[in-house]
Each structure stands twice: as structure tokens, then as C-alpha cells.
């Protein structure tokens, strides 16, 4: 949250801009949890209804009364049929054998019996529809309707989430940038370019809308088209307000070069694609058309919002400190504690879906715990940036699920199986380099001194484990739902809220570390987590949405046709590695996966690269790209949570080149070594083919 933004707004405006948008996002995410949980609950209610009332499946809807005549007079009916038959006979039909009264009698008797049975069945079912059945099936139908509505309106929900959260991030000046705004020149250049980028998107969106509604073809997705136009216009108004206001408490002066570093990354990307669509392609509506491809996988990006909220909720708990407290009595050297941090943080990374989310959620805890034991700042920053890099290959990571959705050649079970092996390799490589670069002897506390307090701290984790176990058991028993890659974004927020409730209402335990960002009440913690999540959701989704323009363009900006010219599998893999790292340097992870799936994967498969080998290499290379300059997204997220001051102090440390730049060099050494082994090891040992 930008302190400058808060100080310069009037109190009434601060309350309006704080509470209303955040409340909208909170209600939206809670409704998504309710609606998606409703899918499981609806199934369980249906089973319960069948157990309570026989034939409940038939009672779920009103049984209509049959319209047939069950008291029909057979003889009179036969007379009528015979008269009709004689009237229709022309006398010239050679095959007309006349009216068969006995056959017609049998038919009418059968119809009368069926009609009587239908009346009996209808009366039986209608008699069983008691007030209790009506109330129960009404509740069941509401859950069903909520689930269907949430599924049908996912694009609209994502539009609301994107632009409301994006407006919050804009108003708070908290988009993803290389440097925070600190001077008036920074403010003017950053906000001016944001205004231009948002205005170009709005112009394109209204042009797109005019084109669609001006055609004779029926509009199938008016919510998306109108929402894009209105939402982008709202973003323009917010950025215009930021541009014309005169912030206080900013330094004077500054330089254009540094000011450009305060411009949000999404702004640069938007301006680039606007130049292509407006200037090169001469297609004003093109930018909005390509931008709208972001909404094709609305469910996935709604999950990102839920994961980010889970991360901010996790930040309100003491879990991070209590996990690290198990290891602190051992007085581990900084390098070993950094290794522990990388291993421990892999689990929440896998469950929160992406490395960026876990850095935003737990980066402060990781950095603080490392610094408490005297870890040098450069190593602490390197570990914080890497804290989310190892877990992206573990179950149930969202990124792996997206890969399996976009590529029919692979399934999640195989990817997660090999992902676990890649994870073990990565942490072993990290351990090797941690030992190689240590500055002090590897000494730990005596077992007699460290074990009792360590076990005591471990004991304090048992209530948390119990809370998770009880909640998972409730889900399993009541909803037949289990934590996996599909249910994790829905279940995680509920589990963490249960932990927060335990800490505030039951435990009353004194926090290990006082954190001014952590609220003392359940309501306060939820509100604070949503306030933080709203900013991060806006910043991250705006970045993701602009990068998805590449996919909308058909990935034409990334061409991999040259791969077909290689005769050697080693050469093909080498080219793929370089291409993956370059994409990771400049493109956000989910957009990168979409680009790779569309433009690179099919050609690589044709060149004989095993799909699982291909994607394990891709994931490691992308993470290396996120840790690599010039963009280095993971380091940008680390800077956001750690603070500019710590990063500036870290830049002054180190007695040689390596230690002065360790925050970049250590992650690159670890991920680079892992990447070489993952990419070329299977080829060298001849296990990179279909047998992988």
C-alpha cells in the first residue's frame, strides 16, 4: 500500500476508494468459493435427499398431472375410430382391409391402462411432496443455480475482478515496477504513461464494441464486450485522477532514466502492443480483441485471485514464524537456513499456484527469519527470490494444471511425478552451492541444547496440524471433497480462515514476532488480507492480461519454426533452453505457458522431444528467466515485500564481485545448473525418448 497515496487523499475519499472496491472484490471471491463449493454440496444434498425420501430424484421437480382420459369408454372410442376409418377410406385402396375392431380394442385398452398407471404414479409422487421436501429441494436448487451461474458468468466476474483490483493498484501506486515512485518527476512520468496506455485500451475497447454491435451478427458475449469498454474507461479515470493530483511528501528533482523505472511493467507492454495494433496493423479495435483473449481461460485467472487471497490470509497467521522456530534453536549457519527456507517454502508455493504469489505472501517472513540469524542481505534476498522457484513443479501447482489443459500429450500425474524428481534435484544443487559459497564453518548447536526447544516449538505446530486435519475431514465427510489441483483454490482460503480463527479466538498465544501488518481480530485479519490481496490481484492480473495479448495475436511474436532445421536432438534442446529463458525474462509465467503451448511445443514434439521432458525443461528455464535480469520478476516481487531500503543496503555489502551480486548470481547458478541437468541429462543417458 502506498503511504503517499493515502496521505494525499481526503478522508472521505480514502474511505470510499478503500472500502467499496475492496468490498466488491471480497464479495466476488466469497461468492466464487460458495458457488464452487456448491457443486460438491449440491451432489451431497442430492444423496441426502435420496436417503431421506424414496424416489427423491423424481421429487426434485413438480410432477405434472397427466392429461389423458383414464375413464375412456372403450366401446364408444371404438365407434368413433371406426367412423373415422370409414370416412377416410376412398374405396380405391387395394390394400385397405377395413377397420380391425379387435386390434383397436387392444390398443385402447393398453392406452387406458398406461394412462391409469401414469395417474397413479403422479398422485403417488405428488402425495410425497411434503413441506419438508419443498424446503429441501429449494435449498438444493439454489446451490445448483449458484454453481451454474458462477460457471456461466466467469468471464464477467474476471472483468470485474481485473478492473476493480487494477483501479485499486493504480490508485495506490502499487503496480509491478522496477522502482517505487519517490520524486515528483517519477510521479509525472509514471502516471502519464499509465494514462496513455489505459486510454489506448479504452479507445480500442469502444471501437471493438462499436464494430461488434454495428454488424448483423448476433452478439454472444455482451457482458465481456461491454465490461471491457466500461472497465477500461474506469481505469482511465483513475489514472487521470492520479495524473492531475499534486502529491505531497515526494522529493524534488529526479532523472528521466530513473523515472522510467517507476513505470508499471504492464504499461510498457500495453504501449508496445498498442503501437503494433494502432500503428503497424492500422487496426484500432485490434488491441481490445487481442486483450480479450485473457478472458478465454477466466476460471484459471479467478483461481489466481483466490490463491493471492490465500497468500495474504497466510500472511496474517503465525505459521511461517512457527515453522522457522523449529530450526532456529539449532543455530544453523545462514547457508543451511537458506536451504531449509527453500525446501519449506516449496509446499506453500505448490498450493498457491505460482512463485510470484508465495513471494508476495511469505517473502517478508523468509527474509526476516534469515536476517534474524545474521544472514547477509544478499543471501537473504537471493533466498527470498528463490523461495517460490522450487515448488512450481509439485502437486497441485496451478501452472502444471494449465499445461495439462493446453497440451493433450501430457497429464498431470506424469508431470507431477517427474516434477517431484526435478524438485529434489534443485534443492540438492542449492545445497551444493550454499556449501560452496559459505563464509563461515558449518557449525550447529549441540543436540542436548537444541533438541528440547526445537521439539517444544514443533509441539506448537500440532494445533495447526489439527485444525487442518479437522477441516479436511469435514470437507471429506460432508462434501466428499479432497485437496487437489482443482479444489485447492476453493478450500485453501477456508482452511486459513480457520487457522486465523484458532489463533485469535482459541489460542491467544503471544506471536513469536510482532508484525504491525498482522491484525488482532478475525475480522481485522480478513479485512487486511483482502486489502492487501486487492492490490496484488490488480497488479498481477494487469500484468498477466497484457502479456496474454501475445496469445491473442496467435503467438506470432514468438516463432519457433527454426527448430525444424536442426538435425540433432542436442541442438534442438539447446535452442529450446535459450528460447525458454528468454521468454521467462520478459513474459509472465501463465502467458509464457500459453505461448510455448501454441508456438513451440508442437514443433518440439515433431523433433522427437518427449513432451514430459519438454515441459520439465520449460518450467525450470522459465523460473531461471524470472530470476534473470533485465526484468527479473522474482526479484521485483522480492523488492516489493522487503522494501527499497533493504535492497539499497544489500547493494553496499560484499567484499568481492560474487558477494556484491549474490542475490542474482546464486539463483542463476542453482537454476542454471539444474536446467543443464534436466535438459541434457536424459538425452545423455538416453532416457529422453518415449520411455521417459
Amino acid at each position: 500500500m502506498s503511504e503517499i497515496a493515502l496521505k494525499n487523499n481526503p478522508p472521505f475519499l480514502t474511505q470510499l476508494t478503500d472500502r467499496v472496491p475492496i468490498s466488491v472484490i471480497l464479495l466476488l471471491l466469497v461468492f466464487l468459493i460458495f458457488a464452487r463449493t456448491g457443486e460438491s454440496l449440491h451432489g451431497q444434498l442430492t444423496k441426502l435427499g435420496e436417503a431421506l425420501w424414496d424416489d427423491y430424484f423424481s421429487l426434485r421437480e413438480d410432477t405434472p398431472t397427466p392429461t389423458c382420459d383414464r375413464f375412456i369408454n372403450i366401446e364408444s372410442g371404438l365407434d368413433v375410430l371406426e367412423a373415422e376409418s370409414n370416412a377416410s377410406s376412398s374405396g380405391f385402396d387395394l390394400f385397405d382391409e377395413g377397420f380391425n375392431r379387435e386390434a383397436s380394442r387392444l390398443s385402447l385398452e393398453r392406452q387406458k391402462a398406461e394412462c391409469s398407471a401414469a395417474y397413479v404414479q403422479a398422485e403417488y409422487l405428488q402425495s410425497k411432496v411434503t413441506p419438508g421436501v419443498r424446503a429441501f429441494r429449494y435449498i438444493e436448487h439454489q446451490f445448483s443455480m449458484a454453481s451454474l451461474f458462477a460457471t456461466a458468468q466467469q468471464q464477467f466476474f474476471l472483468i470485474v475482478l481485473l478492473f476493480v483490483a487494477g483501479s485499486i493498484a493504480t490508485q495506490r501506486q502499487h503496480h509491478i515496477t522496477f522502482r517505487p515512485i519517490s520524486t515528483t518527476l517519477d510521479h509525472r512520468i509514471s502516471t502519464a504513461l499509465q494514462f496513455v496506455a489505459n486510454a489506448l485500451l479504452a479507445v480500442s475497447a469502444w471501437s471493438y464494441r462499436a464494430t461488434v454491435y454495428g454488424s448483423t451478427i448476433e452478439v454472444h458475449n455482451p457482458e465481456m464486450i461491454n465490461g471491457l469498454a466500461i472497465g477500461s474507461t474506469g481505469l482511465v479515470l483513475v489514472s487521470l485522477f492520479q495524473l492531475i493530483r499534486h502529491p505531497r511528501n515526494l522529493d524534488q528533482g529526479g532523472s528521466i532514466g530513473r523515472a522510467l523505472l517507476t513505470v508499471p511493467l504492464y504499461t510498457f507492454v500495453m504501449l508496445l502492443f498498442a503501437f503494433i495494433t494502432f500503428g503497424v496493423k492500422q487496426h484500432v479495435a485490434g488491441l481490445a480483441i487481442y486483450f480479450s483473449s485473457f478472458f478465454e481461460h477466466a476460471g484459471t485467472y479467478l483461481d489466481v485471485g483466490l490463491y493471492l487471497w490465500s497468500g495474504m490470509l497466510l500472511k496474517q497467521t503465525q505459521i511461517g514464524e512457527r515453522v522457522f522456530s523449529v530450526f532456529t534453536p539449532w543455530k544453523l549457519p545462514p547457508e543451511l537456513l537458506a536451504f531449509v527456507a527453500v525446501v519449506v517454502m516449496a509446499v506453500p508455493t505448490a498450493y498457491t499456484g505460482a512463485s510470484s504469489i508465495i513471494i508476495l505472501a511469505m517473502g517478508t517472513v523468509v527474509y526476516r527469519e534469515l536476517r534474524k540469524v545474521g544472514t547477509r542481505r544478499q543471501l537473504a534476498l537471493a533466498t527470498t527470490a528463490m523461495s517460490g522457484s522450487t515448488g512450481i513443479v509439485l502437486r497441485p501447482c496451478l501452472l502444471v494444471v494449465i499445461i495439462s489443459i493446453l497440451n493433450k500429450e501430457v497429464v498431470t500425474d506424469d508431470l507431477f511425478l517427474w516434477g517431484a524428481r526435478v524438485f529434489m534435484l534443485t534443492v540438492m544443487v542449492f545445497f551444493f552451492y550454499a556449501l560452496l559459497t559459505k563464509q563461515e564453518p558449518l557449525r550447529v548447536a549441540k543436540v542436548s541444547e537444541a533438541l528440547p526447544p526445537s521439539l517444544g516449538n514443533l509441539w506448537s505446530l500440532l494445533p495447526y496440524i489439527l485444525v487442518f486435519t479437522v477441516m479436511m475431514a469435514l470437507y471429506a465427510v460432508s462434501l466428499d471433497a479432497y485437496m487437489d489441483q482443482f479444489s485447492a483454490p476453493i478450500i485453501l482460503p477456508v482452511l486459513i480462515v480457520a487457522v486465523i480463527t484458532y489463533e485469535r479466538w482459541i489460542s491467544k498465544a503471544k506471536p513469536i514476532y510482532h508484525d504491525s501488518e498482522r491484525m488482532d481480530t478475525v475480522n481485522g485479519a480478513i479485512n487486511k488480507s483482502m486489502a492487501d490481496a486487492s492490490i496484488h490481484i490488480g497488479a498481477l492480473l494487469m500484468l498477466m492480461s497484457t502479456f496474454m495479448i501475445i496469445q491473442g495475436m496467435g503467438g506470432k511474436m514468438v516463432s519457433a519454426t527454426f527448430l525444424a532445421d536442426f538435425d540433432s536432438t542436442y541442438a534442438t534442446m539447446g535452442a529450446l533452453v535459450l528460447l525458454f529463458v528468454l521468454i521467462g525474462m520478459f513474459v509472465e509465467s501463465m502467458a509464457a505457458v500459453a505461448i510455448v503451448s501454441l508456438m513451440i511445443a508442437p514443433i518440439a514434439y515433431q523433433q522427437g522431444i518427449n513432451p514430459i521432458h519438454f515441459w520439465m525443461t520449460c518450467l525450470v528455464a522459465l523460473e531461471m528467466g524470472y530470476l534473470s535480469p533485465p526484468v527479473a520478476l522474482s526479484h521485483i516481487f522480492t523488492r516489493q515485500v522487503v522494501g527499497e531500503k533493504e535492497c539499497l543496503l544489500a547493494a553496499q555489502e560484499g567484499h568481492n564481485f560474487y558477494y556484491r551480486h549474490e542475490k542474482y548470481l546464486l539463483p542463476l547458478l542453482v537454476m542454471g545448473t539444474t536446467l543443464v541437468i534436466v535438459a541434457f541429462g536424459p538425452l545423455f543417458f538416453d532416457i529422453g525418448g518415449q520411455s521417459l
Side-chain angles (χ1 to χ4, degrees):
M1 181 184 299
S2 173
E3 296 292 334
I4 296 171
L6 291 178
K7 290 178 181 178
N8 286 283
N9 288 335
F12 77 92
L13 184 59
T14 299
Q15 287 194 3
L16 181 65
T17 55
D18 279 2
R19 295 184 180 180
V20 175
I22 292 172
S23 298
V24 170
I25 296 174
L26 176 61
L27 290 174
L28 175 60
L29 294 183
V30 169
F31 175 75
L32 284 174
I33 294 174
F34 165 78
R36 292 190 186 176
T37 304
E39 296 177 11
S40 299
L41 186 56
H42 174 251
Q44 294 300 100
L45 285 174
T46 305
K47 293 179 182 178
L48 178 60
E50 187 65 22
L52 294 175
W53 299 283
D54 293 336
D55 301 315
Y56 176 73
F57 286 108
S58 300
L59 300 177
R60 294 178 67 235
E61 302 291 342
D62 287 329
T63 304
T65 301
T67 58
C68 60
D69 184 3
R70 57 176 167 174
F71 301 112
I72 185 174
N73 187 294
I74 299 296
E75 295 301 326
S76 298
L78 289 173
D79 292 340
V80 171
L81 290 176
E82 185 173 5
E84 291 176 352
S85 176
N86 293 334
S88 63
S89 176
S90 62
F92 295 100
D93 190 350
L94 298 177
F95 299 98
D96 186 4
E97 299 179 355
F99 179 70
N100 190 331
R101 193 175 183 89
E102 289 305 315
S104 299
R105 182 190 301 278
L106 291 175
S107 177
L108 284 178
E109 289 175 347
R110 184 166 57 251
Q111 292 177 29
K112 183 177 181 179
E114 292 175 353
C115 182
S116 297
Y119 269 97
V120 170
Q121 179 69 9
E123 291 169 356
Y124 167 75
L125 293 176
Q126 290 170 356
S127 67
K128 295 192 68 175
V129 180
T130 63
V133 171
R134 287 193 177 92
F136 187 87
R137 74 184 185 185
Y138 174 80
I139 296 173
E140 182 223 316
H141 286 178
Q142 295 308 306
F143 279 103
S144 176
M145 291 172 61
S147 300
L148 293 174
F149 178 78
T151 302
Q153 298 298 322
Q154 284 190 127
Q155 288 190 348
F156 175 72
F157 291 154
L158 181 58
I159 288 173
V160 173
L161 184 65
L162 172 66
F163 287 113
V164 173
S167 297
I168 295 174
T170 301
Q171 188 266 332
R172 303 286 180 83
Q173 296 182 337
H174 211 287
H175 280 291
I176 299 169
T177 64
F178 290 104
R179 294 289 187 274
I181 292 175
S182 59
T183 69
T184 54
L185 183 62
D186 294 346
H187 173 79
R188 289 168 185 166
I189 290 180
S190 179
T191 53
L193 289 179
Q194 285 181 69
F195 172 74
V196 172
N198 295 334
L200 290 172
L201 177 62
V203 169
S204 180
W206 284 105
S207 175
Y208 176 36
R209 183 183 183 280
T211 301
V212 170
Y213 279 92
S215 68
T216 57
I217 302 174
E218 182 183 357
V219 181
H220 294 289
N221 51 351
E223 297 87 358
M224 191 271 288
I225 296 171
N226 292 321
L228 180 57
I230 296 172
S232 58
T233 302
L235 201 57
V236 171
L237 294 177
V238 174
S239 56
L240 177 61
F241 171 78
Q242 292 294 100
L243 178 61
I244 62 178
R245 75 187 182 93
H246 301 285
R248 299 185 294 269
N249 304 317
L250 286 178
D251 298 332
Q252 298 299 313
S255 64
I256 294 179
R258 192 194 184 286
L260 288 174
L261 294 177
T262 66
V263 178
L265 296 184
Y266 93 87
T267 301
F268 286 123
V269 179
M270 188 74 75
L271 291 173
L272 170 63
F273 291 129
F275 172 76
I276 295 173
T277 54
F278 280 64
V280 178
K281 294 180 176 290
Q282 303 281 313
H283 188 199
V284 176
L287 181 64
I289 293 173
Y290 295 136
F291 186 87
S292 63
S293 64
F294 175 69
F295 305 105
E296 292 177 2
H297 302 288
T300 298
Y301 293 102
L302 289 172
D303 286 347
V304 171
L306 290 168
Y307 276 128
L308 275 168
W309 187 29
S310 299
M312 296 305 107
L313 285 168
L314 189 62
K315 192 175 179 180
Q316 289 293 316
T317 71
Q318 302 175 31
I319 294 177
E321 291 97 324
R322 295 194 178 278
V323 169
F324 277 100
S325 71
V326 176
F327 302 96
T328 50
W330 295 93
K331 297 179 181 179
L332 298 175
E335 292 80 9
L336 286 184
L337 189 59
F339 167 76
V340 169
V342 169
V343 174
V344 169
M345 296 308 295
V347 176
T349 298
Y351 277 96
T352 51
S355 55
S356 56
I357 297 175
I358 201 60
I359 294 174
L360 293 171
M362 298 296 292
T364 303
V365 174
V366 173
Y367 185 81
R368 183 176 63 220
E369 293 299 322
L370 290 172
R371 290 290 296 148
K372 279 169 60 178
V373 299
T375 305
R376 53 190 180 274
R377 285 187 174 88
Q378 287 283 341
L379 176 58
L381 289 174
T383 306
T384 305
M386 274 202 68
S387 59
S389 296
T390 58
I392 63 160
V393 291
L394 297 178
R395 188 184 298 272
C397 183
L398 179 62
L399 204 58
V400 177
V401 176
I402 294 173
I403 289 172
S404 66
I405 292 173
L406 297 178
N407 298 266
K408 65 180 186 300
E409 294 83 0
V410 293
V411 295
T412 53
D413 287 344
D414 291 338
L415 290 172
F416 285 132
L417 173 64
W418 284 92
R421 299 171 182 178
V422 170
F423 165 74
M424 294 300 299
L425 172 64
T426 306
V427 296
M428 286 191 294
V429 172
F430 185 94
F431 184 73
F432 169 76
Y433 281 111
L435 295 182
L436 191 66
T437 59
K438 69 181 188 303
Q439 291 184 322
E440 300 175 359
L442 293 180
R443 296 193 183 97
V444 297
K446 295 180 180 179
V447 174
S448 58
E449 297 176 356
L451 187 58
S454 179
L455 291 176
N457 293 336
L458 180 62
W459 180 261
S460 70
L461 280 173
L462 293 181
Y464 293 89
I465 298 173
L466 180 62
V467 170
F468 276 102
T469 302
V470 170
M471 291 300 298
M472 291 304 303
L474 287 175
Y475 267 98
V477 173
S478 62
L479 299 177
D480 194 26
Y482 303 89
M483 182 82 80
D484 57 24
Q485 58 267 37
F486 305 106
S487 64
I490 306 303
I491 296 178
L492 271 177
V494 180
L495 294 185
I496 303 175
V497 168
V499 170
I500 292 173
T501 303
Y502 160 75
E503 287 185 346
R504 271 57 167 190
W505 286 0
I506 302 173
S507 173
K508 304 290 186 179
K510 185 179 180 181
I512 296 176
Y513 183 88
H514 176 70
D515 190 342
S516 59
E517 294 290 304
R518 187 176 293 146
M519 301 294 104
D520 296 329
T521 64
V522 175
N523 288 339
I526 293 176
N527 290 335
K528 176 60 177 173
S529 69
M530 181 48 62
D532 292 342
S534 299
I535 298 172
H536 293 308
I537 289 171
L540 192 56
L541 287 187
M542 284 302 299
L543 185 64
M544 289 179 170
S545 61
T546 49
F547 276 123
M548 287 302 292
I549 297 175
I550 301 176
Q551 184 190 17
M553 289 182 170
K556 295 176 182 178
M557 297 184 68
V558 179
S559 175
T561 54
F562 66 91
L563 293 174
D565 298 330
F566 291 111
D567 296 328
S568 167
T569 306
Y570 285 93
T572 302
M573 182 57 72
L576 286 172
V577 166
L578 293 176
L579 195 56
F580 292 153
V581 173
L582 285 173
I583 292 173
M585 285 182 180
F586 299 99
V587 182
E588 183 276 329
S589 58
M590 294 187 185
V593 166
I595 294 168
V596 171
S597 299
L598 182 67
M599 299 302 299
I600 302 175
I603 300 175
Y605 300 158
Q606 292 175 4
Q607 290 295 100
I609 304 297
N610 177 273
I612 299 175
H613 184 199
F614 173 88
W615 283 109
M616 288 296 104
T617 303
C618 178
L619 288 173
V620 176
L622 289 178
E623 282 301 320
M624 182 175 176
Y626 305 143
L627 292 161
S628 304
V631 178
L633 278 173
S634 293
H635 290 288
I636 291 175
F637 292 129
T638 300
R639 180 183 291 271
Q640 278 196 316
V641 298
V642 169
E644 185 74 7
K645 180 180 178 181
E646 285 296 307
C647 293
L648 292 176
L649 290 173
Q652 301 171 12
E653 294 182 350
H655 61 277
N656 59 32
F657 179 82
Y658 174 82
Y659 291 108
R660 283 195 298 271
H661 303 281
E662 187 175 21
K663 71 174 183 178
Y664 292 115
L665 294 178
L666 178 60
L668 292 179
L669 284 171
V670 173
M671 299 308 296
T673 303
T674 304
L675 178 58
V676 170
I677 296 173
V678 171
F680 297 101
L683 299 179
F684 182 78
F685 292 103
D686 196 26
I687 59 172
Q690 296 301 316
S691 61
L692 183 65

